Amino acid sequence: MQVTVNLHDCKHCDGSGTCAKGPNQTSCLVCAKKHELPFWSRKGQVGLMCGSCGGIGRAEPLTERMNKRITPMLALLLPIVLLVMISLAAVYESPYFSQILAFSSAIIGSVAGFYFSSNRSNS
């Protein structure tokens, strides 16, 4: 699977990868906290890696990260929820078990077929 990443210059560190947004060009308290520094030594730090971009000077927008991660998360979560639903319907001898099974098997089959097919396009 070919994944492309659109990185933009980090606005927090101005593309340098080093935080200097605090007073007198020191690192800000947010980046110091991100590095898990003790509370008493967070002020006055110089040269800490930017907490927003991870020190690379370029960041991926949050919406783009979410769009790339929501599909695999749904593909993991949906079959698990449906299998639990089938199991509960079987254990409690639901009168709707056949409908639940038909509905769930179609969705689980579609998800499995999509992710495990050998001829998925790489575009």
Side-chain angles (χ1 to χ4, degrees):
M1 187 169 164
Q2 190 73 10
V3 178
T4 58
V5 179
N6 295 324
L7 295 176
H8 304 285
D9 285 339
C10 180
K11 299 296 181 193
H12 183 76
C13 65
D14 298 322
S16 68
T18 305
C19 177
K21 290 291 183 181
N24 299 327
Q25 299 297 315
T26 60
S27 297
C28 70
L29 294 176
V30 175
C31 289
K33 185 175 182 180
K34 181 99 173 176
H35 288 286
E36 298 177 359
L37 294 174
F39 180 72
W40 57 87
S41 69
R42 288 183 188 165
K43 291 184 179 180
Q45 296 288 331
V46 177
L48 287 180
M49 183 173 62
C50 177
S52 297
C53 64
I56 61 172
R58 299 178 62 82
E60 182 181 22
L62 178 64
T63 54
E64 192 170 339
R65 283 184 293 181
M66 287 176 61
N67 288 337
K68 289 179 183 174
R69 289 175 178 88
I70 196 82
T71 305
M73 291 305 292
L74 280 175
L76 283 172
L77 216 63
L78 193 62
I80 292 171
V81 168
L82 290 174
L83 288 172
V84 167
M85 217 166 78
I86 292 170
S87 301
L88 290 175
V91 167
Y92 291 115
E93 298 176 359
S94 171
Y96 304 109
F97 178 73
S98 61
Q99 287 91 351
I100 292 171
L101 186 62
F103 170 75
S104 299
S105 63
I107 293 176
I108 292 171
S110 297
V111 170
F114 177 77
Y115 277 98
F116 294 110
S117 68
S118 61
N119 59 356
R120 280 181 53 194
S121 65
N122 288 333
S123 58

